[in-house]
Amino acid sequence: MPGYTPPLRDMRFVLQELLEADKVLAELPPHAGLDADTLSQVLEEGGKFAAGVVFPLNQTGDREGCRYDPVTRSVTAPAGFRDAYRQFVEAGWPSLACDTAFGGQGLPAVLNNALYEMLNAANQAWTMYPGLSHGAYECLHAHGTPEQKALYLPKLVSGEWTGTMCLTEPHCGTDLGLLKTRAMPQPDGSYRLSGGKIFISAGEHDMAANIVHLVLARLPDAPPGTRGISLFVVPKFLPDADGAPGARNAIHCGAIEHKMGIHGNATCQMNLDEATGWLVGEPHRGLNAMFVMMNAARLGVGMQSLGLTEVAYQNAAAYARERLQGRSLTGTKAEDRPADPILVHPDVRRMLLTARAYAEGGRAFSSCIALMIDCEQHHPDPATRQQAADDVALLTPIAKAFLTDNAWIACSEALQVFGGHGYIAEWGMEQYLRDARINMIYEGTNTIQSLDLLARKVLSDNGAKLRQFGGKVRAFAEAHAADPRMAEFITPLAELGDKLGKLTMEIGMKAQQDRDEMGAAAVPYLRVAGHWMFAYFFARMAQLSLDRAAGGDDFYRAKLALARFYFARLLPETAMLIRQARSGAASLMAMDEALF
Ligand SMILES: Cc1cc2nc3c(=O)[nH]c(=O)nc-3n(C[C@H](O)[C@H](O)[C@H](O)COP(=O)(O)OP(=O)(O)OC[C@H]3O[C@@H](n4cnc5c(N)ncnc54)[C@H](O)[C@@H]3O)c2cc1C
């Protein structure tokens, strides 16, 4: 039976010492009165909820899964899910980072992000129900009409209703330009939607009174491709005159998928048979509106993986302290025991430190992005808002793909620490690995994230956003260049920044001749950029730790040791990745299609 302790000490370090979140938030009018103590208290309470209420349902939810009843076309979530969600709503957690105008508490995104790390560590499948609702809230908040906002936002904010995003169809996943669901305008201003959606997370369940589906569909006059997609809000129950759930709408779940992981979350086939919906945003501009939800969800998926990385690490570390096998290569360590704990073995430490570095690097990186989202939304200076928006746009695909790839590695290494016991369901490690796999696929596969980064975020503005963030990295390196203790971190960080700049130019030049060069380089390119981010944050964390580690404080001694491990053992992967990225498209495209 696995365990989970919310990493509150590390969260406080990241928020208060590394990012100085209270000072940053003090400049944002809605958050000006928020102090570090309040942030800490909210995290502590969130941690208690995650560990105490949601975590105990993780393994049982995985074993039981969701149940579909073809007669009523209803879905029942695993035992305990509904009650845990009721407690979540009663405690006011869904409203944490929502607009006060709609009943929210108006707390910052950076806090919500940390809450979601803990919820995901405790139970990713359960957390997807409220997680998707928050995405729907953000989309309607940004693009809904005043009437739509008044009707739906208070219910999503309170958590009484949950939300979904309905994009995927059987023949169209990545390429949404192929989607076929139709929306016919009605004289009363509503639309009738017909079509089939698949793989819709939380598409049907018994946890909330209503489900607000955000559905992509085509109007009759839509141009082909992605320029002809519109967004609609399609509630499961049509709100009556008082805004309460009324008549059943013609959007039903036809089946749920049997799948590798996240068994507690219903992955639904949704049929729309002239379902009533209303347009959100401009006609044919639905993808644009949906991007608000997709961007929020991309960082959210990164947080799913960060949670899994942390919980897998914690359990593997606990096991490695207890499991006795063999003796240390340098001589017996536990004289009074028949064998030493496996923690003495260098390679067991490598596996543990890999998972821990991916957790602590990921926490620093993703918290920084979340804080930038707060600045993007609320900073009084438009130039600062724009700069934050550019940074968020650049870093979001890196966070999604790098954190989810890392979690797959981390969960696999953590499982390996258990040896054969890791493969056995009872210990919970194989569930973490199964659950982690989907995060590399949905919200745009990691390949698509890497193309988004390279093509849209980097090459489309000739590297301007990359240089803007690079300026911060350089400023940090220059500020600490005179400290000889920092050389072991700053030298490789600066070198990697130079190499990334050169690699970007080289790919950009090649891509002008042949677009396949971009597709061939994108995945290793994103991973290099991810390491550049982690190197920057580990260098900053090391700098904050040097003095206090020397003074003997264990927290900072561990931080420093982890930073050194990261630079020695994980960062060197970039040498290989850069070679791969530079090797070009030829070796990939040489084989004739017929030979595959
Ligand atoms: C458990 C689960 C939950 C999901 N939840 C939701 C949800 O709530 N809402 C929703 O709308 N969808 C959801 N999805 C769908 C998910 O977002 C899609 O599966 C994903 O976007 C990929 O689409 P696809 O499966 O059709 O794969 P395809 O698009 O067919 O891709 C197949 C492969 O080809 C690659 N590929 C495709 N196009 C390109 C390209 N242009 N360049 C390079 N490589 C390319 C992909 O990276 C992938 O490796 C969910 C899926 C699952 C399995």
Side-chain angles (χ1 to χ4, degrees):
M1 173 85 179
Y4 174 60
T5 306
L8 297 174
R9 175 68 187 92
D10 200 49
M11 286 180 167
R12 279 201 303 276
F13 168 77
V14 168
L15 294 186
Q16 293 168 14
E17 296 175 53
L18 180 71
L19 303 176
E20 299 186 303
D22 48 336
K23 285 191 199 153
V24 176
L25 295 171
E27 289 182 38
L28 314 180
H31 305 311
L34 206 61
D35 56 33
D37 282 350
T38 313
L39 291 176
S40 281
Q41 271 168 19
V42 176
L43 287 181
E44 205 167 306
E45 290 307 313
K48 276 186 204 158
F49 186 86
V53 179
V54 183
F55 181 72
L57 304 174
N58 192 43
Q59 276 190 301
T60 53
D62 179 61
R63 279 199 289 270
E64 186 184 332
C66 296
R67 271 170 297 129
Y68 177 70
D69 179 346
V71 178
T72 56
R73 292 183 283 185
S74 62
V75 173
T76 310
F81 271 42
R82 184 185 159 95
D83 186 53
Y85 186 71
R86 181 190 53 75
Q87 293 182 51
F88 189 70
V89 171
E90 280 174 9
W93 289 113
S95 68
L96 192 75
C98 297
D99 191 341
T100 50
F102 299 100
Q105 299 179 52
L107 287 164
V110 70
L111 199 56
N112 210 38
N113 209 52
L115 169 69
Y116 269 84
E117 180 202 318
M118 295 188 284
L119 293 172
N120 280 309
N123 192 331
Q124 173 170 329
W126 181 91
T127 303
M128 286 172 72
Y129 295 97
L132 280 152
S133 305
H134 193 74
Y137 155 83
E138 291 194 357
C139 183
L140 283 171
H141 191 264
H143 294 283
T145 62
E147 294 74 26
Q148 288 169 348
K149 288 185 190 186
L151 186 57
Y152 295 106
L153 291 186
K155 303 286 192 193
L156 288 169
V157 167
S158 68
E160 276 171 85
W161 298 358
T162 61
T164 73
M165 50 196 297
C166 301
L167 289 71
T168 307
E169 298 178 6
H171 55 282
C172 116
T174 301
D175 187 356
L176 290 170
L178 300 172
L179 78 79
K180 290 182 183 159
T181 299
R182 295 262 150 210
M184 298 299 289
Q186 303 299 305
D188 65 357
S190 69
Y191 293 80
R192 294 278 178 276
L193 283 88
S194 300
K197 297 283 176 182
I198 60 163
F199 298 165
I200 304 309
S201 299
E204 179 59 43
H205 58 79
D206 60 343
M207 290 165 58
N210 203 356
I211 302 176
V212 181
H213 301 284
L214 290 177
V215 181
L216 290 181
R218 282 184 189 287
L219 293 166
D221 61 343
T226 52
R227 285 166 206 274
I229 299 174
S230 304
L231 178 65
F232 299 85
V233 57
V234 184
K236 172 177 167 183
F237 292 103
L238 298 168
D240 65 18
D242 302 324
R248 183 69 168 88
N249 201 1
I251 176 165
H252 286 102
C253 176
I256 57 173
E257 306 295 345
H258 301 279
K259 55 193 193 289
M260 179 177 181
I262 54 165
H263 292 160
N265 193 272
T267 306
C268 302
Q269 291 173 27
M270 300 302 296
N271 303 320
L272 296 98
D273 301 307
E274 304 218 327
T276 303
W278 290 270
L279 185 69
V280 179
E282 302 285 308
H284 313 317
R285 305 266 302 149
L287 218 45
N288 242 36
M290 190 58 116
F291 257 116
V292 172
M293 188 163 181
M294 281 151 74
N295 266 334
R298 280 174 186 179
L299 185 58
V301 175
M303 299 318 289
Q304 294 181 325
S305 278
L306 176 56
L308 292 175
T309 303
E310 172 68 31
V311 71
Y313 164 73
Q314 286 187 14
N315 283 284
Y319 188 81
R321 280 194 297 269
E322 296 300 324
R323 176 73 173 168
L324 306 179
Q325 290 294 300
R327 288 294 183 192
S328 160
L329 293 169
T330 55
T332 299
K333 296 291 180 295
E335 299 278 4
D336 55 335
R337 301 171 90 180
D340 285 335
I342 57 172
L343 190 56
V344 301
H345 304 306
D347 197 59
V348 171
R349 286 169 162 257
R350 176 194 61 74
M351 294 188 276
L352 290 172
L353 288 166
T354 298
R356 180 156 166 175
Y358 283 151
E360 293 188 19
R363 185 169 300 119
F365 178 41
S366 58
S367 302
C368 176
I369 300 177
L371 194 57
M372 286 172 181
I373 292 174
D374 286 316
C375 290
E376 176 187 356
Q377 289 174 348
H378 299 299
H379 202 284
D381 172 31
T384 308
R385 279 204 304 275
Q386 186 56 50
Q387 199 183 67
D390 288 345
D391 286 344
V392 170
L394 176 77
L395 302 181
T396 298
I398 304 177
K400 195 278 180 180
F402 196 56
L403 266 57
T404 59
D405 282 349
N406 289 348
W408 176 245
I409 297 167
C411 291
S412 177
E413 297 286 22
L415 183 152
Q416 186 80 8
V417 168
F418 282 73
H421 300 273
Y423 201 72
I424 304 302
E426 180 192 344
W427 290 91
M429 303 308 286
E430 53 86 43
Q431 184 191 345
Y432 294 135
L433 193 60
R434 285 187 287 106
D435 285 355
R437 190 63 184 83
I438 186 58
N439 300 343
M440 300 151 81
I441 298 172
Y442 58 21
E443 282 322 317
T445 64
N446 285 359
T447 302
I448 297 307
Q449 304 299 323
S450 68
L451 287 167
D452 178 48
L453 173 71
L454 187 55
R456 286 214 208 113
K457 307 293 167 60
V458 174
L459 296 182
S460 71
D461 66 6
N462 292 317
K465 285 198 260 306
L466 190 68
R467 281 193 299 280
Q468 176 179 288
F469 199 84
K472 290 183 200 173
V473 179
R474 253 195 322 283
F476 167 79
E478 281 163 17
H480 299 284
D483 183 348
R485 298 173 305 170
M486 284 299 290
E488 62 177 305
F489 307 111
I490 281 179
T491 307
L493 171 65
E495 279 173 11
L496 185 58
D498 287 346
K499 285 180 189 160
L500 182 64
K502 286 188 187 126
L503 181 63
T504 306
M505 287 214 308
E506 187 179 319
I507 300 169
M509 304 273 274
K510 284 203 229 170
Q512 280 176 9
Q513 312 298 320
D514 176 0
R515 299 294 281 173
D516 273 343
E517 290 291 345
M518 201 167 58
V523 167
Y525 179 88
L526 182 143
R527 218 170 148 76
V528 174
H531 275 300
W532 181 54
M533 284 295 102
F534 271 33
Y536 171 54
F537 285 105
F538 270 115
R540 285 178 58 183
M541 292 193 280
Q543 191 273 324
L544 288 169
S545 303
L546 279 167
D547 289 341
R548 278 168 285 192
D553 186 316
D554 281 346
F555 178 83
Y556 298 97
R557 285 176 55 227
K559 260 296 169 218
L560 197 53
L562 191 65
R564 289 190 171 125
F565 166 82
Y566 173 78
F567 277 90
R569 281 286 180 152
L570 299 182
L571 191 77
E573 186 194 357
T574 52
M576 178 197 75
L577 291 165
I578 290 171
R579 286 190 68 168
Q580 286 177 347
R582 296 188 65 194
S583 72
S587 64
L588 301 174
M589 306 313 284
M591 204 187 292
D592 293 342
E593 278 183 27
L595 298 178
F596 275 89

